[in-house]
């Protein structure tokens, strides 16, 4: 059975544009791509997983194990080092997200493009 090509017709683009405008909580522009690919390939989770990995509009969760022998000052320094590494990762996600979303939105020359947020905040679970 031939698989449909999501870039083959203008009706496919209009479906993606409808999903983009209907998603209020979609700050990265990835939710519409996830939903569109799920309608074409319901058993394939690769696009959903790629979108999850490339999402940068949510805070980063720091999971830093604390050994008993580590002082408070050293533990805070380890958390800052881990946050620095995760921030560099979040900044580099923009390129991958751009490659994933390239060609999914047809903007007019007078239309303002939405630029996704890059959140560099970290949260420590309790």
């Amino acid at each position: 059975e031939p698989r449909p090509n999501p870039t083959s017709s203008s009706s496919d683009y209009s479906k993606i544009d409808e999903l983009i405008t209907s998603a209020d909580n979609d700050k990265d522009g990835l939710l519409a791509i996830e939903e569109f690919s799920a309608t074409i390939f319901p058993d394939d989770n690769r696009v959903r997983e790629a979108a999850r990995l490339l999402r940068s509009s949510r805070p980063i969760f720091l999971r830093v194990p604390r050994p008993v022998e580590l002082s408070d000052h050293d533990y805070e320094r380890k958390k800052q080092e881990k946050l620095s590494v995760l921030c560099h990762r979040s900044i580099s996600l923009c390129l991958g997200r751009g490659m994933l979303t390239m060609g999914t939105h047809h903007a007019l020359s007078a239309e303002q493009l939405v630029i996704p947020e890059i959140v560099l905040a970290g949260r420590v679970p309790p």
Side-chain angles (χ1 to χ4, degrees), residues 3 17 20 38-39 44 50 52 66 68 82 87-88 104:
R3 294 183 178 177
D17 287 338
I20 288 172
T39 58
D44 193 2
R52 185 187 67 80
R66 182 176 184 169
V68 178
K82 177 78 172 189
C87 285
H88 282 86
T104 59

Side-chain angles (χ1 to χ4, degrees), residues 38-83:
T39 58
I40 297 174
F41 309 108
D43 297 329
D44 193 2
N45 292 324
R46 290 179 288 180
V47 173
R48 181 175 295 128
E49 183 65 18
R52 185 187 67 80
L53 292 172
L54 295 173
R55 192 161 280 126
S56 66
S57 64
R58 295 183 183 161
I60 303 167
F61 285 96
L62 291 173
R63 291 179 184 88
V64 181
R66 182 176 184 169
V68 178
E69 65 275 359
L70 201 61
S71 68
D72 290 340
H73 178 71
D74 292 337
Y75 181 62
E76 290 299 319
R77 192 174 65 221
K78 277 187 86 154
K79 286 195 299 188
Q80 287 178 357
E81 290 171 0
K82 177 78 172 189
L83 182 61

Side-chain angles (χ1 to χ4, degrees), residues 19 24 30 36 44 48 62-63 73 82 84 95 102 122:
L19 289 172
D24 293 334
L30 298 171
F36 185 69
D44 193 2
R48 181 175 295 128
L62 291 173
R63 291 179 184 88
H73 178 71
K82 177 78 172 189
S84 175
L95 293 173
M102 186 176 207

Side-chain angles (χ1 to χ4, degrees), residues 1 14 22 25-26 32 51 57 60-61 81 86 89 103 106 126:
E1 151 180 308
S14 64
S22 68
N25 61 350
D26 184 27
S57 64
I60 303 167
F61 285 96
E81 290 171 0
L86 291 175
R89 179 185 177 272
H106 295 286

